[in-house]
Amino acid sequence: GGGGGEGETRLCFGFACFALCGGRFGFSFLDMMERKRKIKVDVVLNAALIVTITVVSLAGFRLVLGWKGSGITDFCDYTSLDSVEKQSFRAYNKYQRPVIDIKNKLYICVTPKAGITKIQAEFKSYLSRERGYKVPANAQNEEQDKFIDLYGPIEHSFPQSNFTKIFIYRNPVDRFISLWQDKFTRERYNNAWVSMVFVNDYRIPSVDLLLKNLYYYIVHGLEDPHIWPQIDYCRVDRFHYDKEVDIDDHRGLTELFAPYWGEKEVDFEAGTAHATKDQAGHAEAHLRLREKVELWRNSFAGSYWRDIDYYCKDRGNKGNKGRAR
């Protein structure tokens, strides 16, 4: 009897310990779940707070900069800003090197980074078909030499020549972005005079530094036509051009050149060897650089105000649709 009582006592004590421990474990588990719930709530609230602060900050940043819509001001409005100091390039006497088609009497002015590689490629293809062999890379230089023999130096021959004079232009912001992407990377900066001068000055290419000092590098970057304003380069405000066309207006280009270079042969839809539009990540890089232009819009508009005004004025008459970005 005595042994049985001790066993029952131990058994009761065991059940009591189990109940006590189990209760404590239950409370601990509930506490842990409550803490997790609170942590989740705190994380959500903190995330919402961060998002709210970010949105408000961006909204204020855009308000200060005058951003609207997609966050970038229409560059057609840049030249109307009172803070823009409009620069002049007339005194620098920058003479263009046109693409000249002697047989068809075409005088084509287009700046580097505004589609000159494409125009040259189409013209050389035409010359190769005409001559029955692949013409060398300097074939267009031979055409220029013939023109000079007929009419004198390029810088004085424009008014005297009876050629059809064509001006091909490009969206000025897209042209600048293309210049940066094509000539200011580590692999390619030695392919243009202006980028070599710039990198020699700063070592590490920075688009902010280039935009900040844009007028200086246009004038003192060894007068590189890659960065020279289009209107000043081709003297559009001084000379009369018979035809004007946007390099991105492929239909307009085809209609213009097909009668001369072959309706079935010309192909302005195809890209060129170093077309930045075909590069991976182009859209993201373009937006990032477009935002940089927005930040330095006073400097950009001060140097390219004639290009901006020309591109944006009477856009319907020149084949451009809508407002620019």
Coordinates of all heavy atoms in Angstrom, one line a residue, residues 165-169 231 236 239-247 249 252-253 256 310 314 317-319:
K165 N 19.4 71.6 -102.9 CA 20.1 71.7 -101.6 C 19.1 71.1 -100.6 O 18.0 71.5 -100.4 CB 20.4 73.1 -101.3 CG 21.3 73.7 -102.4 CD 21.5 75.2 -102.2 CE 22.3 75.8 -103.4 NZ 21.6 75.8 -104.7
I166 N 19.7 70.1 -99.8 CA 18.9 69.3 -98.9 C 19.5 69.4 -97.5 O 20.7 69.2 -97.3 CB 18.8 67.8 -99.3 CG1 18.2 67.7 -100.7 CG2 18.0 67.1 -98.3 CD1 18.3 66.3 -101.3
F167 N 18.6 69.8 -96.5 CA 19.1 69.8 -95.1 C 18.4 68.7 -94.4 O 17.2 68.6 -94.3 CB 18.7 71.2 -94.5 CG 19.0 71.2 -93.0 CD1 20.2 70.9 -92.5 CD2 18.0 71.6 -92.1 CE1 20.5 71.0 -91.1 CE2 18.2 71.7 -90.7 CZ 19.5 71.4 -90.2
I168 N 19.2 67.8 -93.8 CA 18.7 66.7 -93.0 C 19.0 67.0 -91.5 O 20.2 67.2 -91.2 CB 19.3 65.4 -93.4 CG1 18.9 65.1 -94.9 CG2 18.8 64.2 -92.5 CD1 19.5 63.8 -95.4
Y169 N 18.0 67.0 -90.6 CA 18.2 67.4 -89.2 C 17.7 66.2 -88.3 O 17.1 65.3 -88.7 CB 17.5 68.7 -88.9 CG 16.0 68.6 -89.3 CD1 15.1 68.2 -88.3 CD2 15.5 68.8 -90.5 CE1 13.7 68.1 -88.5 CE2 14.1 68.7 -90.8 CZ 13.3 68.3 -89.8 OH 11.9 68.2 -90.1
I231 N 22.0 73.9 -87.0 CA 21.6 75.1 -87.7 C 22.8 75.9 -88.1 O 22.9 76.4 -89.2 CB 20.6 75.9 -87.0 CG1 19.3 75.1 -86.7 CG2 20.2 77.2 -87.7 CD1 18.6 74.6 -87.9
V236 N 21.6 77.1 -91.8 CA 20.2 77.1 -92.3 C 19.5 78.5 -92.2 O 18.6 78.8 -93.0 CB 19.4 76.0 -91.5 CG1 17.9 76.0 -91.9 CG2 20.0 74.7 -91.7
F239 N 21.2 80.5 -95.5 CA 21.0 80.0 -96.8 C 19.7 79.3 -97.0 O 19.1 78.8 -96.1 CB 22.1 79.0 -97.2 CG 23.5 79.5 -97.1 CD1 24.6 78.8 -96.6 CD2 23.8 80.8 -97.5 CE1 25.8 79.3 -96.6 CE2 25.1 81.4 -97.5 CZ 26.1 80.6 -97.0
H240 N 19.2 79.3 -98.3 CA 17.9 78.7 -98.6 C 18.2 77.2 -99.0 O 18.9 76.9 -100.0 CB 17.2 79.4 -99.7 CG 16.0 78.8 -100.2 ND1 14.8 78.7 -99.4 CD2 15.7 78.1 -101.3 CE1 13.9 78.0 -100.1 NE2 14.4 77.6 -101.2
Y241 N 17.5 76.3 -98.3 CA 17.5 74.9 -98.7 C 16.2 74.6 -99.4 O 15.1 75.0 -99.0 CB 17.7 74.0 -97.4 CG 19.1 73.9 -97.0 CD1 19.6 74.9 -96.1 CD2 20.0 72.9 -97.4 CE1 20.9 74.8 -95.7 CE2 21.3 72.8 -97.0 CZ 21.8 73.8 -96.1 OH 23.1 73.7 -95.7
D242 N 16.3 73.8 -100.5 CA 15.2 73.4 -101.3 C 14.3 72.4 -100.5 O 13.1 72.4 -100.7 CB 15.6 72.9 -102.6 CG 16.4 73.9 -103.4 OD1 15.9 75.0 -103.7 OD2 17.6 73.6 -103.7
K243 N 15.0 71.5 -99.8 CA 14.3 70.4 -99.1 C 14.8 70.3 -97.7 O 16.0 70.4 -97.5 CB 14.5 69.0 -99.9 CG 14.2 69.0 -101.3 CD 12.7 69.0 -101.6 CE 12.4 68.8 -103.1 NZ 10.9 68.8 -103.4
E244 N 13.9 69.9 -96.8 CA 14.3 69.7 -95.4 C 13.6 68.4 -94.9 O 12.4 68.3 -95.2 CB 13.9 70.9 -94.5 CG 14.5 72.2 -95.0 CD 13.9 73.4 -94.3 OE1 12.9 73.2 -93.6 OE2 14.4 74.5 -94.4
V245 N 14.3 67.6 -94.2 CA 13.7 66.3 -93.8 C 14.3 65.8 -92.5 O 15.5 66.0 -92.3 CB 13.8 65.2 -94.9 CG1 15.2 64.9 -95.2 CG2 13.0 64.0 -94.5
D246 N 13.5 65.3 -91.6 CA 13.9 64.7 -90.3 C 14.5 63.4 -90.6 O 14.0 62.5 -91.3 CB 12.7 64.6 -89.4 CG 13.1 64.2 -88.0 OD1 14.1 63.5 -87.8 OD2 12.3 64.5 -87.1
I247 N 15.7 63.1 -90.0 CA 16.4 61.8 -90.2 C 15.5 60.6 -89.7 O 15.7 59.5 -90.2 CB 17.8 61.8 -89.6 CG1 18.6 60.6 -90.0 CG2 17.6 61.8 -88.1 CD1 18.9 60.5 -91.5
D249 N 12.3 60.5 -90.1 CA 11.2 60.4 -91.0 C 11.6 59.5 -92.2 O 11.9 60.0 -93.3 CB 10.7 61.8 -91.5 CG 9.5 61.7 -92.4 OD1 8.9 60.6 -92.6 OD2 9.2 62.8 -93.0
G252 N 9.6 60.0 -95.4 CA 10.0 61.2 -96.1 C 11.4 61.1 -96.8 O 11.6 61.6 -97.9
L253 N 12.3 60.4 -96.1 CA 13.7 60.2 -96.7 C 13.5 59.3 -98.0 O 14.2 59.6 -99.0 CB 14.6 59.5 -95.7 CG 15.1 60.4 -94.6 CD1 15.7 59.5 -93.5 CD2 16.1 61.4 -95.0
L256 N 12.1 61.2 -100.8 CA 13.0 62.2 -101.3 C 14.2 61.6 -102.2 O 14.5 62.1 -103.3 CB 13.6 63.0 -100.1 CG 14.7 64.1 -100.5 CD1 14.1 65.1 -101.4 CD2 15.2 64.7 -99.2
Y310 N 14.3 75.6 -84.4 CA 14.0 75.1 -85.7 C 13.2 73.8 -85.7 O 12.3 73.6 -86.4 CB 15.3 74.8 -86.4 CG 15.1 74.2 -87.8 CD1 14.9 75.0 -88.9 CD2 15.2 72.8 -88.0 CE1 14.7 74.4 -90.2 CE2 15.0 72.2 -89.2 CZ 14.7 73.0 -90.3 OH 14.5 72.5 -91.5
D314 N 6.8 75.2 -86.5 CA 6.2 74.7 -87.7 C 6.4 73.2 -87.9 O 6.7 72.7 -89.1 CB 6.6 75.5 -89.0 CG 6.3 76.9 -88.9 OD1 5.3 77.3 -88.2 OD2 7.1 77.7 -89.4
N317 N 4.8 71.3 -90.9 CA 5.4 71.5 -92.2 C 6.6 70.7 -92.5 O 7.0 70.5 -93.6 CB 5.6 73.0 -92.4 CG 4.4 73.8 -92.3 OD1 3.3 73.3 -92.6 ND2 4.5 75.1 -91.9
K318 N 7.3 70.3 -91.4 CA 8.6 69.6 -91.6 C 8.4 68.1 -91.4 O 9.4 67.4 -91.3 CB 9.6 70.2 -90.7 CG 10.0 71.6 -90.9 CD 11.3 72.0 -90.3 CE 11.3 72.0 -88.8 NZ 10.5 73.2 -88.3
G319 N 7.2 67.7 -91.2 CA 7.0 66.2 -91.1 C 7.0 65.7 -89.7 O 6.8 64.5 -89.4

